[in-house]
Amino acid sequence: MASTDAASRTAAPRTPPPLEGDAAALRAFLDGPHAAVRDQVRAQLVEHAPILDERVDLPRAELRRRVRDLVVDIGARGQSGHGFPPQYGGGGDIGASVAAFETLAYGDLSVLVKSGVQYGLFGGAVLQLGTARHHEAYLPDLVSGRLLGCFAMTETGHGSNVQALGTLARYDADTDEIVVTTPDDASRKDYIGNAADDGEMAVVFAQLEVGGEGHGVHAVLVPLRRDGEVLAGVRIEDCGAKLGLEGVDNGRIWFDEVRVPRGNLLDRFATIDDDGTYRSSIENPDRRFFTMLGTLVQGRVSVGGAALGASKVALEIAVRYALRRRQFEATTPGVEDLLLDYGMHQRRLLPLLARTYALSCAQEEVAGQLHQVFSAGTPDADERARRALESRAAGTKALLTWHATTTIQECREACGGAGYLAANRFSALKADTDVFTTFEGDNHVLLQLVAKGLLTDYSSEFEDLDQFGMVRFVTGLAVETVIERTAAHQLLERIRDVLPGGRDGWDQEAGLLDPDYQLAMLRYREEHQLAGVARRLKAGVAAGTAPGTVFSAVQDHVIAAARSHVERLVLEAFVARVRAQPEGPTRDTLAALCDLHALATIEADRGWFLEHGRLSAPRSKAITREVSTLLRRLRPVAAPLVEAFGIPPGVLGARDLVG
Amino acid sequence: MASTDAASRTAAPRTPPPLEGDAAALRAFLDGPHAAVRDQVRAQLVEHAPILDERVDLPRAELRRRVRDLVVDIGARGQSGHGFPPQYGGGGDIGASVAAFETLAYGDLSVLVKSGVQYGLFGGAVLQLGTARHHEAYLPDLVSGRLLGCFAMTETGHGSNVQALGTLARYDADTDEIVVTTPDDASRKDYIGNAADDGEMAVVFAQLEVGGEGHGVHAVLVPLRRDGEVLAGVRIEDCGAKLGLEGVDNGRIWFDEVRVPRGNLLDRFATIDDDGTYRSSIENPDRRFFTMLGTLVQGRVSVGGAALGASKVALEIAVRYALRRRQFEATTPGVEDLLLDYGMHQRRLLPLLARTYALSCAQEEVAGQLHQVFSAGTPDADERARRALESRAAGTKALLTWHATTTIQECREACGGAGYLAANRFSALKADTDVFTTFEGDNHVLLQLVAKGLLTDYSSEFEDLDQFGMVRFVTGLAVETVIERTAAHQLLERIRDVLPGGRDGWDQEAGLLDPDYQLAMLRYREEHQLAGVARRLKAGVAAGTAPGTVFSAVQDHVIAAARSHVERLVLEAFVARVRAQPEGPTRDTLAALCDLHALATIEADRGWFLEHGRLSAPRSKAITREVSTLLRRLRPVAAPLVEAFGIPPGVLGARDLVG
């Protein structure tokens, strides 16, 4: 009898109960611990909402002024300073500041980016690289928006390779000053936000020279303007029109022997003594450089959050449009069908929606780590945790910003020609977010950074590499260690064990919806790719090939491995947060969404899994079928799933599309 | 001895000779039969080049005037009329007009699109849907740019489903006039180019009613303005700012009982007699509608060409930048490497370059068919050829415009932040081309059209379906025929025979670079997917499921099959054109590029081929290795491959990037 029961259970078609969508509960899930801060920002966005319409027709100069006023207003209201210490007008809560920035991305993105430049990059550099006297002198005015400034790192000739930048900061012992100079045109500061119109001061990254000796890149405070007039020795040029972010005044800066007091060196990690001697708590110059840079990691986390917020705006518009717009009679004669009732339309939008939830969880995780590391005290406290955070922030930023580009594009197309009008928001979303994939670190370079961390296991002995670092790393011996750590046959055994059906059960239908199966698949891919990279690097070097050539040949494999790593972290974060939910209809809906994300991710790379024996052909096809089933299950809760983003109606805009 | 020879040949590492890149020969290949016309357009683009810089800072209203002047200038010079009959100032050469338009896309895209609206859509409608009296009355002024007009088809409430549009054209027998009315706001004409500022006349698509009887959608000439003043009964609203194409004056139009003479009906396919009787040479109203629409197919071919031209501009900038810009020391200490020497950078750009060549060949093929069909005489001459052309134009437009979106995005990212500045061209390319994927037919809808043609084999019995048509088709019996035609086991046999190694030789390395193997793979995928669609449709209907539901479930499969079909046509076109080249270094280079395109295409969908037993895991991996080998082989000829586009230097722009 028991076996008959089992057979009939197997034979019965699985008809899971319909999902329920409680927008408020889903919103609580997404808002996480900083719901109150997010609501504050939402209220402020409603007040600032007129900019979303005004921007369409304002000439650039006026738009910039409007945006500046809003950025200053944010500071004046005390909403800029969640991450600053309370004694300077801040809230002392880094997690809150990340949540606030992410929510601010529901609004105008020029306001967001200019705020980010002012309070995040400029403010963050003064806070993290400066010491008490800089904090006291500048933070109160900076946090309240009275002192506007720039973060002058990027140069025309040096984008991603910051260590190689050319601006000079020479200490002149005779006058006890630092002399800042742009030696050539390739070393002009470029694309610097706040520079063209508004910045009164800049944190300038330059090669510090003391007593004729170079000490690598350091940050120096250099005044740019007084009462709106550019100071002597400083030349500023407007970068002019851009694809988007037209409310941000990007500019180029040249310095011609500009003298600032020695005290303007932001000297948390290295200082020039009264007797003119250079002194640093960190001996190794590469390590010093990366320690300084590491303190600025919040910038990358913030860009990721901005990409997330913008993706949500695009998705809510496209989903609501698809729940309103009818096209062609498909089901009922005389009645055109809703777009979202078409299978292809579900395929286009719902996996992006699921991925947006997954990335929200991943971003929450990064924000939490950031909060922990930076609230924990000194930068030396746990260097490994810091490196892991930097890697995670870099990888998450890359995935989030590519996701925004893909999502906004797909949503625009899903709204047809109406999506092309400036009045309907996509125009702004597309144009403004486009640069996210390459600013605050080019995504490909960032993923290489992630790979380097994985290959070295964040061990400090490899911190002396430059930011790219892979090539010189190739010549190192540690590859052996990596191969041992990730030896493919061990992994295979380990991961097979968690798979339903055991060693020979790869083809069983059961288990596709088991998060442990899904995670094991992503973990297997990651570790297999990483071991493969290590082997190929090692083999290339052993064969006597030049390291640069070896690296170039392996580079796409390196980037694939890093991406797989971050994909695994994203799924882990989503699975963990769903598991932490109380049982009930909201968890069921989230679990289905998580399944969709996991299976769509595996499906997208099924070629790899098939090549590596981790999917049989029938199981691969079963995944595609299961994705389709999940799309149909999730279709009825699409509306609450986007309502849960909590984008205030007046801020969503796109009234032609969403009604 | 023979066998030893063979063995040693097998064992020897394949070291093909380095490729040579003769830019002039490659350009002749791309320019094809209309090189002289292309050169005329190039010369004109050089004269009009100042617009490329001016557009950056001109306010919208002025930019529109500048663009209008250039569009009128093109007409005044006689460069607009390649496709019009000689007696009206044209050149009578449709192939030339497609080549000219494609080349015009190297320049400002507002000029291109406004020209397309004026000479292509407005002019094409008068030419194709009108009769001699319309031609005589309007074409001379139209072709020379003295009469500016609109193509008023799209309505707010009806995008892709043209047959359902709401504007009414009622024949009033009492006054012998046609009364044009917008019955509701969903039926206002929307996004109409040339409408907001300049259009003096519009071809209005409306539901024709004669004697109280509806006859479906017809085109009527309606005057909009006289001496710049909008006429009574017409209301025009500006669509306002857009993401791009800001030089084109898109608008909305409402008609309030606007009366025009009966003769304003464009009556090539249907007329109203002197006695007020409706009469058409095509009995069936659906067939009549699709015949009319079919004559406008050149619009889609033109958009495809525009996407191709824009992709070339983006690729030339990105490749030249990658041959100039150095980043990080990878090979030689103290010398940073060129971007294009990084494996990942080659991976990002060169397959897109190969695909651009492939799509150029495919576009040339479509243009050739267009020329043949439209030069051949009456529309009834060979209806099957016309349907095949429409399908091919639709599918090629979809692939070309998606390719442009992908290519421009990748190239922008590959140029970093500098690519974001308006001065550097990507900004314009991205913003202006974004709408290509959804105008002149939404790409997804177009691919469904392609699939329908394939399933019915363009047989006339299915022409009575609406444009979407799939759903009602599902209920038809002809599915049997389709299944028979494409029965999978027959295909398998047929295609296996052409594969090197014969029946059991799927895994042999040999043959990856054999175009017949590559084509067999794409053909197999296409026919397998098509047969699968037919089977699923049939099974769904047989199971009693509502046709709409069946269709929705199969829709992504339908679109995949159509896409596979067009991919096969693209590769066929490239292979055929390479084979037609004389033996020599240029053919060798093109053959390597064709191999890269073919293998990258297979690689991109290797999941499918693995699932369906057409690739083994080792062979799939071998394809990826071969792609990498091809990238390294093609790297040294990257410069001549883009130089071959023949974009005049002053027109390329982006001086910060390309030097």
Side-chain angles (χ1 to χ4, degrees), chain A residues 578-592:
Chain A
V578 173
R579 280 182 173 156
Q581 287 286 299
E583 275 191 41
T586 295
R587 187 165 97 170
D588 293 344
T589 296
L590 288 167

Side-chain angles (χ1 to χ4, degrees), chain B residues 5 10 81 104 122 161 254 288 330 339 509 553 556 609 636:
Chain B
D5 273 9
T10 308
L104 199 59
F122 175 54
N161 192 0
W254 292 257
R288 188 189 311 131
L339 290 184
E509 274 273 348
D556 57 344
F609 289 105

Side-chain angles (χ1 to χ4, degrees), chain A residues 246-309:
Chain A
E246 283 283 66
V248 182
D249 54 320
N250 293 83
R252 306 185 175 105
I253 316 177
W254 291 256
F255 301 98
D256 182 11
E257 306 269 328
V258 174
R259 292 180 167 265
V260 299
R262 170 167 58 100
N264 279 27
L265 179 69
L266 293 175
D267 61 350
R268 178 176 174 195
F269 297 104
T271 194
I272 302 171
D273 280 342
D274 289 343
D275 63 0
T277 317
Y278 176 86
R279 190 167 49 76
S280 170
S281 55
I282 307 173
E283 279 292 311
N284 184 302
D286 285 329
R287 186 185 208 121
R288 188 188 312 131
F289 172 73
F290 286 111
T291 303
M292 289 193 216
L293 232 57
T295 63
L296 306 175
V297 63
Q298 190 172 348
R300 279 183 189 152
V301 179
S302 299
V303 172
L308 188 58

Side-chain angles (χ1 to χ4, degrees), chain A residues 36-56:
Chain A
V37 167
R38 291 181 196 265
D39 281 341
Q40 267 179 29
V41 177
R42 287 178 175 117
Q44 172 200 299
L45 285 172
V46 171
E47 285 186 57
H48 287 180
I51 182 79
L52 294 165
D53 290 328
E54 291 167 20
R55 61 167 280 165
V56 172

Side-chain angles (χ1 to χ4, degrees), chain B residues 46-61:
Chain B
V46 171
E47 285 185 57
H48 287 179
I51 182 80
L52 293 166
D53 290 327
E54 291 167 22
R55 60 167 281 166
V56 172
D57 284 309
L58 277 184
R60 188 161 67 243

